[in-house]
Amino acid sequence: MKASADTAEARETPVLPTSEWTSDLQSLLESREGFRLLVESVQDFAVFTLDLEGRVATWNAGAERLLGYRDGEIVGHDFARFFTADDVEKGAPAQELKTALAQGRASDDRWHVRKDGTYFFGNGVTTPLRDDRGVTRGFVKVMRDQTDKKRMEEELHSRAEELARADREKDEFLAVLAHELRNPLAPIFYALHLLDREPEAAVPRHARNARNAHNAHNARDIVERQVHRLAHLIDDLLDVNRISTGKIELRKARVLLRRIVENAVETTRPLLDARGHELTVLLPEEEVWVEADAHRLEQVLANLLNNAAKFTDDGGRIWITAERPDDHAILRVKDTGAGMPPDLIERVFDLFAQGNRSLDRPHGGLGIGLTLARRLVEMHGGTIEAHSEGVGRGSEIVVRLPVLPRIATPKDEPEAPAEVPQRPLRLLVVDDSQDTAEMMSALLSLDGHDVWTAHSGPAALEAAAAHRPDAIVLDIGLPGLDGYQVAQRLRQDPAMKGVTLIAASGYGQEADRQRAREAGFDYHLVKPVDPRRLQEILAGVRAASPALD
C-alpha cells in the first residue's frame, strides 16, 4: 500500500522513487549494525520496519514472539495482515502510515491478529525512518502486548457500570422502603388520633356506646396489623441479608408437613379475613414428614399466602394444597388475583423484582419475599416455580420438597403436655423506654403476674435484689450497664441462680443471639416481642418452678 504523495508534499519531506525504497532502507539499517542487532534481540517488544508500501522489511525476535511469524514468513508481506478484517475494511493500515508521514508518528492502540488467528490488544507507535538528508526511507513500528491491561480496563469499566446500576437500584429501593415504612405509620397515627378524640373509648367496655366500642376495637386492630407489617418488613430485610451473606443456619428436625401448613395459615389468617378472601386448604390424608426448619418453612408459606392475599381483590379465592406423588411433597399456593405477565414470571424470584412500580403502588411490598422463599426452599433441597396464564388471570407458586420415608408406626407427634396449675410469677421488666416497660408490664399484669419495672442497668440489679423475680425481661441497650453486663452480674449472684433471663432486643442477628447466650440469657426475643411467645416461655417458667402454697 502506498502513502499518499500529497501528504508527503504537504510535509515537504523528500521521498525517493519507489524502485529505490527497499534497497535504500536496507542500506540505512545495515549502516547501523550494532543498533540493528540490539533491536533484533529484544524479546518484550515487537520491533519491525516497513517500506513505504507497508511491506515488512525487518523483523525482530519480539515480533516473532508476539505475532507468531518467523522472519522468512513475513518479510516482504503487507503488514495489513496484522489488522482485524474490520480495520482493514476501514482502511486503518494505510491511514496509520499516512498519519505517521503527516505528523511524525502514529499511535496504534487496537486489537490485532496473530498468525494462528488469535487476537491480542497491541499498543504501538509507527514512526517514519529518514536518512541524513531527511528523505523518508520507510517506517519503524514498535508494539507491545497490552491484552491483560485492556481486559482489566474492560472489566473495571464493566464493574463501574454494574456499580452505577446497583446505585440506581439502591436509590429506587430506598425510595420504595421510605414509602413502605410511611404507609403503616399513617394509619397508626390516624388510629391513635381517633382514640385521642374519643376518650370514652378508653373506659370499660360496658360504659361505651356501640359506636365508640366499634371505633376503639377497629383502631386497635389497625394498630396491631400495621405494627406486624412493619415487623415483617424489617424481618425480611434482615433475613435476605443473612441468606445472601451465608449467615443463616437451618435448625432441621423431623416435622409434620400438615403442622407447617396450619401454622402458616394461622399466621396469615388476619390478612385473609380483612380482605374477605375464601381460603381452601387441601392436604393429603396420610402423614407427610419432612426434615426441615419448621419456622423457616412456615415463613416461606406465609410469604406466599401474604402475596396471594395482597394481589387478589377483596373477596377473591386462594387455595393451598399439598400432595405426595413420590419421594417429594408438592405444595401449591394458587389465587384468582392480578396474575403476572411473562416477563415478570422470569424474574419474580429475583431480589427487589416487582411488577407494578407506579406511584400509587396499590399492593406495596419491597420485592424480597419471593427471593427469601426461593433461597429457603433451596436450602431445604427443594425447588420453587411461578406460573400464571397472564395479567388478571391469577397466579400459582409451586414448591417441591423432599420428604422422609413412610414408616409403619406413626406415633411421631409428641403427646400434649399435661396441664400445669397456673400461678402468678414474680417478673421484672427492664427497658430504658418508660412507655415500652409500662406497656409490657400492663400486658403481663393482665395475665395475673406480679410485675416491677426498671429503666437502667444499675436499677435492674437493685430491683432484682429487692424482689427476687422468677424471670426478667431485659432490654440490651440500657444506660449505666448494658443488658449483657446486667445478665453476667446476675449469673454471678448465687441468689439469682434460678432466675430466667429473657433478652428483648432490637438486634436480631445470629451474632447477637450468640452473645446473649454467652452473657447468660436463656432466651433472646426480637422487638416487638410477640406476646404469645412470651406467654409460652413464662408457662415453661411456671412449670419448672414449685407451686406456691
Side-chain angles (χ1 to χ4, degrees), residues 393-462:
R393 304 186 68 180
S395 302
E396 182 180 45
I397 307 294
V398 180
V399 175
R400 187 178 177 90
L401 293 169
V403 298
L404 293 173
R406 294 180 175 93
I407 56 176
T409 56
K411 183 151 185 187
D412 296 288
E413 292 188 64
E415 297 180 1
E419 290 190 11
V420 178
Q422 299 297 300
R423 70 172 183 85
L425 294 174
R426 299 169 63 84
L427 305 177
L428 175 60
V429 175
V430 186
D431 202 296
D432 60 338
S433 167
Q434 186 170 345
D435 290 343
T436 300
E438 288 183 358
M439 288 300 96
M440 182 173 288
S441 174
L443 287 172
L444 294 173
S445 296
L446 289 175
D447 291 332
H449 301 301
D450 298 322
V451 189
W452 293 268
T453 61
H455 308 296
S456 70
L461 294 175
E462 291 178 7

Side-chain angles (χ1 to χ4, degrees), residues 139-252:
F139 303 89
V140 61
K141 182 160 186 174
V142 181
M143 186 189 302
R144 189 175 187 181
D145 186 357
Q146 295 285 285
T147 305
D148 291 341
K149 179 181 177 182
K150 179 64 175 177
R151 295 195 190 283
M152 184 177 295
E153 289 174 352
E154 290 177 345
E155 184 178 354
L156 288 173
H157 179 70
S158 175
R159 289 185 179 181
E161 289 184 338
E162 290 176 2
L163 287 172
R165 182 169 59 253
D167 190 59
R168 290 192 298 271
E169 292 176 353
K170 177 207 68 177
D171 289 341
E172 181 177 304
F173 170 69
L174 291 176
V176 171
L177 177 60
H179 178 277
E180 289 301 310
L181 292 178
R182 288 191 184 102
N183 264 356
L185 289 175
I188 291 174
F189 182 79
Y190 302 148
L192 292 175
H193 267 260
L194 174 62
L195 292 175
D196 188 50
R197 294 178 62 179
E198 293 191 0
E200 63 269 27
V203 303
R205 184 173 297 275
H206 68 270
R208 307 176 194 168
N209 60 43
R211 181 178 66 85
N212 287 342
H214 172 76
N215 286 342
H217 181 73
N218 190 47
R220 190 202 65 79
D221 287 347
I222 289 173
V223 171
E224 184 177 7
R225 282 199 303 271
Q226 299 305 326
V227 167
H228 280 306
R229 186 179 177 190
L230 275 172
H232 181 73
L233 287 173
I234 294 170
D235 286 344
D236 277 358
L237 285 169
L238 293 175
D239 278 346
V240 75
N241 180 63
R242 292 179 193 135
I243 292 177
S244 62
T245 55
K247 294 181 179 178
I248 193 169
E249 294 182 2
L250 299 182
R251 300 176 180 177
K252 292 185 177 181

Side-chain angles (χ1 to χ4, degrees), residues 74-310:
I74 195 61
V75 171
H77 292 276
D78 196 326
F79 86 128
R81 66 173 55 191
F82 309 147
F83 289 72
T84 65
D86 287 343
D87 285 341
V88 171
E89 185 176 351
K90 295 173 183 176
Q95 183 60 45
E96 183 176 319
L97 299 184
K98 182 178 178 180
T99 300
L101 280 172
Q103 300 179 8
R105 60 173 287 160
S107 295
D108 179 36
D109 297 334
R110 65 176 79 244
W111 289 97
H112 293 78
V113 185
R114 295 187 179 91
K115 175 185 175 181
D116 62 5
T118 60
Y119 291 84
F120 71 96
F121 190 84
N123 164 249
V125 176
T126 302
T127 306
L129 278 174
R130 298 187 174 99
D131 62 13
D132 295 339
R133 295 174 295 166
V135 178
T136 300
R137 307 289 188 168
F139 303 89
V140 61
K141 182 160 186 174
V142 181
M143 186 189 302
R144 189 175 187 181
D145 186 357
Q146 295 285 285
T147 305
D148 291 341
K149 179 181 177 182
K150 179 64 175 177
R151 295 195 190 283
M152 184 177 295
E153 289 174 352
E154 290 177 345
E155 184 178 354
L156 288 173
H157 179 70
S158 175
R159 289 185 179 181
E161 289 184 338
E162 290 176 2
L163 287 172
R165 182 169 59 253
D167 190 59
R168 290 192 298 271
E169 292 176 353
K170 177 207 68 177
D171 289 341
E172 181 177 304
F173 170 69
L174 291 176
V176 171
L177 177 60
H179 178 277
E180 289 301 310
L181 292 178
R182 288 191 184 102
N183 264 356
L185 289 175
I188 291 174
F189 182 79
Y190 302 148
L192 292 175
H193 267 260
L194 174 62
L195 292 175
D196 188 50
R197 294 178 62 179
E198 293 191 0
E200 63 269 27
V203 303
R205 184 173 297 275
H206 68 270
R208 307 176 194 168
N209 60 43
R211 181 178 66 85
N212 287 342
H214 172 76
N215 286 342
H217 181 73
N218 190 47
R220 190 202 65 79
D221 287 347
I222 289 173
V223 171
E224 184 177 7
R225 282 199 303 271
Q226 299 305 326
V227 167
H228 280 306
R229 186 179 177 190
L230 275 172
H232 181 73
L233 287 173
I234 294 170
D235 286 344
D236 277 358
L237 285 169
L238 293 175
D239 278 346
V240 75
N241 180 63
R242 292 179 193 135
I243 292 177
S244 62
T245 55
K247 294 181 179 178
I248 193 169
E249 294 182 2
L250 299 182
R251 300 176 180 177
K252 292 185 177 181
R254 192 163 184 266
V255 185
L256 186 62
L257 188 62
R258 176 185 297 273
R259 292 286 178 263
I260 293 172
V261 175
E262 290 172 349
N263 290 341
V265 169
E266 181 182 351
T267 299
T268 321
R269 178 63 69 182
L271 177 59
L272 296 170
D273 292 343
R275 300 295 298 271
H277 294 318
E278 178 184 342
L279 176 66
T280 301
V281 181
L282 299 174
L283 303 176
E285 292 185 2
E286 66 171 317
E287 292 184 341
V288 179
W289 295 87
V290 294
E291 185 179 10
D293 185 323
H295 171 70
R296 292 302 182 181
L297 280 190
E298 289 167 14
Q299 184 180 2
V300 168
L301 292 181
N303 268 337
L304 300 185
L305 287 170
N306 270 321
N307 269 5
K310 283 197 305 183

Side-chain angles (χ1 to χ4, degrees), residues 316-541:
R317 297 195 63 188
I318 298 173
W319 295 264
I320 179 167
T321 63
E323 57 181 327
R324 178 186 172 164
D326 46 35
D327 59 349
H328 282 75
I330 299 178
L331 292 160
R332 304 176 189 271
V333 177
K334 186 176 181 181
D335 61 64
T336 58
M340 291 180 281
D343 65 311
L344 180 58
I345 293 176
E346 294 176 0
R347 58 185 177 85
V348 71
F349 294 105
D350 294 343
L351 188 60
F352 308 141
Q354 295 175 322
N356 187 347
R357 291 185 179 268
S358 59
L359 292 177
D360 60 340
R361 294 182 47 75
H363 303 299
L366 297 177
I368 59 181
L370 288 178
T371 301
L372 282 173
R374 179 183 63 182
R375 295 185 182 177
L376 288 171
V377 168
E378 289 173 350
M379 289 175 73
H380 282 86
T383 61
I384 185 168
E385 299 174 350
H387 303 280
S388 177
E389 295 183 4
V391 176
R393 304 186 68 180
S395 302
E396 182 180 45
I397 307 294
V398 180
V399 175
R400 187 178 177 90
L401 293 169
V403 298
L404 293 173
R406 294 180 175 93
I407 56 176
T409 56
K411 183 151 185 187
D412 296 288
E413 292 188 64
E415 297 180 1
E419 290 190 11
V420 178
Q422 299 297 300
R423 70 172 183 85
L425 294 174
R426 299 169 63 84
L427 305 177
L428 175 60
V429 175
V430 186
D431 202 296
D432 60 338
S433 167
Q434 186 170 345
D435 290 343
T436 300
E438 288 183 358
M439 288 300 96
M440 182 173 288
S441 174
L443 287 172
L444 294 173
S445 296
L446 289 175
D447 291 332
H449 301 301
D450 298 322
V451 189
W452 293 268
T453 61
H455 308 296
S456 70
L461 294 175
E462 291 178 7
H467 302 292
R468 301 293 179 88
D470 298 300
I472 302 176
V473 182
L474 183 58
D475 186 22
I476 297 298
L478 294 171
L481 296 170
D482 64 35
Y484 299 124
Q485 293 171 314
V486 173
Q488 289 169 347
R489 295 197 182 189
L490 289 172
R491 289 304 183 209
Q492 293 169 1
D493 184 353
M496 297 292 148
K497 183 178 179 180
V499 66
T500 299
L501 297 183
I502 305 166
S505 173
Y507 301 97
Q509 301 280 6
E510 181 56 34
D512 303 311
R513 298 178 186 277
Q514 178 62 31
R515 188 176 177 186
R517 286 192 289 268
E518 292 172 354
F521 282 99
D522 299 290
Y523 301 92
H524 183 284
L525 304 181
V526 179
K527 292 180 178 178
V529 172
D530 183 351
R532 289 177 299 181
R533 176 58 180 149
L534 188 55
Q535 287 175 349
E536 291 175 0
I537 293 173
L538 296 179
V541 174

